[in-house]
Amino acid sequence: MRGFLVTGTVLLALSGSPGVAPAGPSPLPERMADTGGGTQLITAEAPATGSTTGTVTWWDRGEDGWTEAGSAPARFGAGGLTEGTTRVQGTNTTPTGLYDLPYAFGTGTAPPGTRYPYRLAGDGDWWCQDNESTSYNRWVRPLPADCRAQESEHLAAYSTQYARALVIGFNYHRPVRGRGAGIFLHVDGKGATAGCVSVPAAAMDRILAWADPARRPHIAVGTESGPTAVTRY
């Protein structure tokens, strides 16, 4: 009888304590190479580079590490996702990478609680995407003479998508011609985007009420695995 009890004890020790579940994976930001140095982060993750849908999650960092503050279904470019440093303009691809969020804007007023600098987009406001213009990848009002309308976005014309938006700092601070312009986190339209990341309107309002520029939020865009994995950025 004693031998049976000893054997049972050994087997129990080898198999682990009953009722204790194995530890799950650590929060996504804790598995990333870089989160931008702030205490807020948005992740936009797609299953693969050919995906046009995925998940946007926003996170807070406290004394105990990163915790999820909210999430929503996301849409990406009609051409899928591609490495941001080699992206080509006009491919309808969403650039992967880690980016800051310079400011917010919208054709509607800012939702309650918004702390980000917020620009109201009216009929005279454009986003210049003309590679020949000195205003490439910039908000302009009015449209400059060297920025062709057919090569730019008339912001007020996208009253649904741009009802609320955050500028993503892709190719923004030192623009490279031909890489792409006008990449935002904005409200869903009817389907995939032209390269932006989009979420439902209610989620966009929640993100703007949550985001605090004093906490230096960034957005990390990527895939679940591979060379463009969000954890790589």
Side-chain angles (χ1 to χ4, degrees):
M1 183 69 172
R2 181 176 175 81
F4 174 80
L5 290 174
V6 171
T7 302
T9 301
V10 172
L11 290 173
L12 182 60
L14 291 173
S15 62
S17 302
V20 178
S26 57
L28 181 56
E30 294 182 4
R31 291 179 275 126
M32 292 175 57
D34 188 8
T35 58
T39 59
Q40 287 187 329
L41 178 72
I42 300 171
T43 55
E45 190 177 39
T49 53
S51 303
T52 59
T53 60
T55 304
V56 159
T57 308
W58 47 107
W59 308 82
D60 289 307
R61 190 181 74 184
E63 293 182 359
D64 297 325
W66 290 97
T67 57
E68 181 180 319
S71 66
R75 296 175 181 173
F76 299 98
L81 295 85
T82 192
E83 170 60 49
T85 58
T86 55
R87 182 182 185 266
V88 176
Q89 185 166 329
T91 55
N92 291 334
T93 52
T94 298
T96 62
L98 179 69
Y99 307 105
D100 66 350
L101 299 159
Y103 60 90
F105 73 93
T107 59
T109 56
T114 299
R115 285 163 286 187
Y116 248 84
Y118 190 92
R119 299 183 69 171
L120 192 62
D123 190 60
D125 296 303
W126 297 71
W127 197 275
C128 182
Q129 299 180 359
D130 190 336
N131 280 282
E132 304 303 319
S133 175
T134 56
S135 300
Y136 178 66
N137 203 17
R138 287 292 184 271
W139 179 305
V140 292
R141 178 186 179 98
L143 192 67
D146 72 341
C147 187
R148 293 167 291 176
Q150 63 269 31
E151 296 291 330
S152 302
E153 279 195 339
H154 187 203
L155 298 177
Y158 299 91
S159 59
T160 296
Q161 295 94 323
Y162 296 161
R164 313 272 199 280
L166 270 166
V167 176
I168 294 176
F170 165 74
N171 201 32
Y172 184 77
H173 300 288
R174 294 181 179 179
V176 175
R177 312 281 172 169
R179 184 145 296 159
I183 300 297
F184 314 126
L185 173 63
H186 64 68
V187 176
D188 283 341
K190 293 182 179 180
T193 73
C196 296
V197 180
S198 73
V199 293
M204 193 67 231
D205 283 358
R206 289 172 61 198
I207 290 170
L208 284 176
W210 160 85
D212 182 355
R215 297 178 62 187
R216 294 183 296 154
H218 285 66
I219 185 169
V221 184
T223 53
E224 292 178 1
S225 60
T228 54
V230 72
T231 52
R232 179 181 155 233
Y233 299 108

